[in-house]
Amino acid sequence: MMLLLRGRCARMLATGLLGLAGYGGAACATGTPLAPPAVYPAGTWQGKGTAVVRVLDRLDAHVEVLSVPVGGEAIHYKNLDILARRCLQRPPTRAPDAAAWLEIQDTHPGGATFKGWMLAAEPGLGVLESSVYDVRMVKCAGDDMAPFLPALPNSVAPPPLPEAAPVDEGAGMGQGSQTLPAQPTPPGLVAPPAAPRPAAPDNANPFQPDSDGAY
């Protein structure tokens, strides 16, 4: 009985060692280098035809979401006149953000005015100094318009790492001493070639005014 148990234990141990050896070989297999995802440059914006803003009336705590067409007539809401000159949003590969050039007039006597950029991600950069209304930029919507997105740059996969030279396990073995073979130096990472820089769109900096001073 004891011999039978020992035989079974030996077979189980041998099976486990073979399984571990096979798992380690699969884990050490060299994979195929993949190209990094294609990303638009940091200063890329897409023009849109509608600016979506949110208006809070502090007197009655009412919130209204308004769609203001770019380059169209001003939108009237209570005592506010809102005009949109430009609306820009980030491309899909960048962090979400939207910016609109707005002209806002509070028609109350001595009401506040605003003229400039409002950003959805940074509402504190453009604020209407009004004690009655709070206006925030939400997003851009509508059809695409200038500036348009450039062509997405092509991503290049890095070259594969050089394979290490095979090691002869029997080399350097003497009768009286055991000499281990020299280990190959780990190869360094090879930097991928730089992706071609896309041509700048017609309006490379959409936040600059035109020659006549309009946005």
Side-chain angles (χ1 to χ4, degrees):
M1 180 64 68
M2 293 297 295
L3 294 176
L4 181 60
L5 291 177
R6 290 179 181 177
R8 290 181 178 177
C9 293
R11 287 195 298 272
M12 293 175 61
L13 178 60
T15 304
L17 292 176
L18 290 176
L20 290 176
Y23 176 78
C28 296
T30 304
T32 303
L34 299 177
V39 179
Y40 284 103
T44 306
W45 294 83
Q46 170 63 65
K48 286 289 186 178
T50 303
V52 181
V53 297
R54 184 189 67 193
V55 181
L56 168 65
D57 189 341
R58 295 188 176 95
L59 299 180
D60 56 7
H62 179 72
V63 177
E64 188 76 18
V65 178
L66 305 175
S67 296
V68 185
V70 173
E73 298 293 333
I75 296 296
H76 304 282
Y77 174 72
K78 295 186 177 182
N79 288 87
L80 283 182
D81 293 339
I82 305 176
L83 181 65
R85 297 291 188 184
R86 185 74 62 88
C87 195
L88 306 171
Q89 72 176 12
R90 285 292 194 184
T93 60
R94 310 300 304 187
D97 197 4
W101 177 273
L102 301 175
E103 298 179 9
I104 306 174
Q105 174 67 51
D106 185 354
T107 57
H108 282 109
T113 60
F114 175 83
K115 183 178 180 181
W117 289 101
M118 283 191 178
L119 279 75
E122 298 290 343
L125 296 181
V127 179
L128 174 67
E129 301 291 344
S130 173
S131 59
V132 180
Y133 299 106
D134 178 74
V135 181
R136 299 290 181 92
M137 176 64 188
V138 178
K139 64 179 181 179
C140 294
D143 298 332
D144 294 344
M145 56 188 308
F148 297 99
L149 294 178
L152 195 63
N154 296 326
S155 298
V156 179
L161 296 176
E163 297 182 358
V167 178
D168 188 2
E169 297 180 356
M173 298 293 295
Q175 295 181 356
S177 62
Q178 181 178 0
T179 303
L180 296 178
Q183 297 296 328
T185 303
L189 295 178
V190 180
R197 186 180 183 87
D202 296 338
N203 191 354
N205 189 351
F207 293 96
Q208 294 293 333
D210 298 333
S211 59
D212 56 357
Y215 282 83

